[in-house]
Amino acid sequence: MRLQTVLLAAAFVFLTEADDQHRPPPPTTPALSNGLAKTPPMGFSTWNQFGDQISEQLIIETIDTMASNGLRDAGFVFINLDDGWQRYPGNRSYHPGPIEADPVKFPKGIKYLSDYAHSKGFKFGIYNGPGQQTCAGYIGSEGHVEEDAATWASWGVDHLKYDSCCSEGPTAPQAEVETIFRNMSLALLATKRPIVFHACHCGWADIWKWAAHDGANQWRIGQDIPDDFNYPGYRDGYYFDVLEMLDRGRGLEKYSGPGHWNDYDMLIVGLNGNSTQLEGTGCSNVEYRSHFTMWCMVASPLLIGADVRTLSAYDLQTLTNKEVIAISQDPLGKVATVVHEDLTLQTQVYAKDMSDGSKAVAYLNRGTLTANITVDPFKDLHVWWKQYHVRDLWKHQDMGIFNFSNPYMVEVFAHEVKALRFTPIWS
Ligand code: GLA
């Protein structure tokens, strides 16, 4: 008896020590949190369509359009200025005064725009970078971190995209990148204004592992998205198309959750190959719909990158599908994982736990031929439901009651996604 106890104790010590060797060292800094973004942020960003060709009039018209065409009411509330709102190009050290907006593009100033956004039920976002210059060559925040955070707070800013990819680069050590984000996070917290913090570093330095600890609410998992669903061939290694971005997210699901999200980059729905910034020739209606569905499944932030004033009726319907948006905004904050795949047919099934006990399920056809897709509830979804009810979230139709010997199977076109909700029937 005594020997057993001794052996058990020794085994415990051995296992604990072995386990400790594989554990990353605990962070030496306290965790930061602003308590915001309990669900993935939704809104509009200027970059994908307009680059730095932005103006007061564009933003006012964007706000007015989104207030009246259903986008605001579907949840797209952030109106985010990306790069190019700043007055000066060049190094910050040549412009040591407080950061200013370009007076030609924004004659009434940023506070006027954020007040306008707030008066119409929106929130307002801004962009800058930590170095001397931002990615588009405007002055960065180096040496002015606290001052800039205070300026943005005084303008009524609710979201900051702070983009280090051009100043720190893909090989910058984690400690260096972490410090610059942490410093801005602390500066934002010091303003006492609730400001959602996007730590944007193009998916380098394993940012998903540490950014939430440093107070970030979202971080990009990859470089920029192009306007392509599946670019056929090698491009330049910089862009991740829709399917590549989804693959990039595999294995990173656990880093996302309420308050801190893996960001698969801004939406390309509606760009139709007309972006002034992104490579790519555009996608079909079906591909844009699949892209939107999958961004909801993986709980990515949802920032519309197209010109909302000229969206087609189809794209508007895509972006305002409340049943699909409910997957993105579910309070449990889970990220869908691949539960089944067929490498020959190039089909995948993604599933995500919902807070009401149901499952959001996406049947994704990555291939170029129509395929029948199904999923085994026991083997793949690990549920012991005798029967389940299936709803098609794009058709807005109940598809019937199914069970393990008769699982839901459906024909899925090339590059199409069937967005489904499986709800157990217990009686
Ligand atoms: C980087 C980012 C883009 C955009 C531009 C702005 O390329 O990845 O999303 O913010 O900078 O210059």
Side-chain angles (χ1 to χ4, degrees):
M1 191 66 177
R2 181 172 282 179
L3 181 65
Q4 272 174 354
T5 314
V6 171
L7 285 176
L8 269 178
F12 177 75
V13 169
F14 173 76
L15 285 174
T16 311
E17 281 177 358
D19 198 30
D20 274 348
Q21 282 164 12
H22 293 105
R23 213 172 276 157
T28 51
T29 50
L32 304 178
S33 172
N34 57 21
L36 303 172
K38 292 294 185 206
T39 59
M42 296 173 64
F44 162 84
S45 161
T46 49
W47 187 255
N48 282 359
Q49 177 74 54
F50 302 102
D52 67 356
Q53 299 305 298
I54 49 182
S55 68
E56 190 171 284
Q57 176 148 359
L58 168 68
I59 300 305
I60 296 284
E61 287 177 14
T62 298
I63 290 170
D64 289 346
T65 305
M66 290 175 70
S68 61
N69 70 359
L71 285 173
R72 179 196 60 194
D73 298 340
F76 293 94
V77 293
F78 282 97
I79 305 291
N80 291 359
L81 291 184
D82 205 282
D83 212 351
W85 63 269
Q86 309 89 330
R87 177 171 194 165
Y88 298 111
N91 282 359
R92 184 66 181 265
S93 53
Y94 299 142
H95 302 282
I99 198 159
E100 293 170 54
D102 183 321
V104 177
K105 292 174 180 170
F106 301 101
K108 298 202 182 86
I110 302 296
K111 172 89 170 59
Y112 167 79
L113 274 185
S114 88
D115 284 347
Y116 190 78
H118 294 144
S119 76
K120 301 272 178 173
F122 290 90
K123 293 176 184 290
F124 191 80
I126 212 157
Y127 168 101
N128 216 45
Q132 281 291 323
Q133 292 189 18
T134 65
C135 286
Y138 293 88
I139 61 169
S141 291
E142 190 169 310
H144 297 263
V145 171
E146 289 77 16
E147 177 195 309
D148 287 357
T151 301
W152 297 324
S154 77
W155 290 347
V157 159
D158 309 293
H159 184 285
L160 172 68
K161 176 175 173 184
Y162 197 52
D163 183 357
S164 64
C165 69
C166 297
S167 52
E168 310 306 306
T171 55
Q174 177 189 319
E176 175 189 318
V177 187
E178 193 171 353
T179 303
I180 56 138
F181 282 124
R182 191 172 176 89
N183 288 346
M184 180 51 84
S185 188
L186 286 165
L188 292 175
L189 289 169
T191 69
K192 304 266 189 281
R193 184 174 173 83
I195 300 177
V196 174
F197 183 38
H198 176 182
C200 183
H201 190 57
C202 276
W204 302 324
D206 288 347
I207 187 162
W208 41 83
K209 290 190 180 158
W210 48 266
H213 175 83
D214 294 299
N217 302 107
Q218 65 191 87
W219 50 82
R220 287 260 295 276
I221 60 162
Q223 292 144 190
D224 294 10
I225 192 167
D227 190 7
D228 285 317
F229 188 79
N230 186 19
Y231 182 79
Y234 179 73
R235 198 195 311 269
D236 59 3
Y238 183 78
Y239 289 94
F240 291 112
D241 63 39
V242 168
L243 292 180
E244 284 172 329
M245 200 66 92
L246 287 171
D247 293 343
R248 172 90 174 163
R250 288 182 73 175
L252 305 184
E253 299 89 348
K254 62 174 180 281
Y255 299 109
S256 231
H260 49 94
W261 306 100
N262 289 327
D263 184 337
Y264 290 61
D265 204 357
M266 297 169 285
L267 295 168
I268 54 172
V269 179
L271 288 175
N272 299 317
N274 296 321
S275 163
T276 59
Q277 299 305 312
L278 306 186
E279 281 194 27
T281 50
C283 304
S284 67
N285 282 342
V286 165
E287 290 171 338
Y288 280 142
R289 195 162 270 193
S290 299
H291 151 60
F292 182 65
T293 305
M294 294 312 297
W295 263 226
C296 291
M297 289 292 293
V298 296
S300 173
L302 300 172
L303 290 173
I304 297 168
D307 186 343
V308 296
R309 300 166 303 177
T310 56
L311 282 174
S312 69
Y314 191 95
D315 287 339
L316 200 54
Q317 245 181 33
T318 295
L319 292 166
T320 53
N321 182 335
K322 292 191 176 158
E323 293 194 79
V324 172
I325 292 172
I327 300 175
S328 150
Q329 299 295 301
D330 186 74
L332 205 55
K334 293 288 185 194
V335 176
T337 55
V338 177
V339 295
H340 176 79
E341 60 189 328
D342 183 322
L343 297 176
T344 314
L345 291 178
Q346 297 187 55
T347 59
Q348 288 177 323
V349 178
Y350 277 72
K352 162 174 165 140
D353 289 335
M354 300 288 283
S355 51
D356 66 353
S358 68
K359 297 253 185 197
V361 180
Y363 287 3
L364 165 63
N365 184 352
R366 302 168 63 116
T368 50
L369 300 173
T370 300
N372 281 319
I373 306 184
T374 189
V375 71
D376 183 322
F378 287 174
K379 196 160 74 52
D380 301 322
L381 298 178
H382 308 295
V383 290
W384 301 102
W385 306 340
K386 267 198 189 149
Q387 300 190 94
Y388 58 99
H389 169 266
V390 174
R391 185 164 173 81
D392 184 317
L393 308 182
W394 284 112
K395 286 188 169 162
H396 303 292
Q397 253 179 42
D398 294 337
M399 307 311 289
I401 292 173
F402 297 84
N403 58 49
F404 70 96
S405 58
N406 172 33
Y408 184 63
M409 179 188 286
V410 69
E411 203 173 64
V412 186
F413 295 132
H415 294 181
E416 194 196 6
V417 170
K418 294 285 185 206
L420 308 165
R421 189 110 171 218
F422 288 9
T423 308
I425 299 168
W426 294 113
S427 53

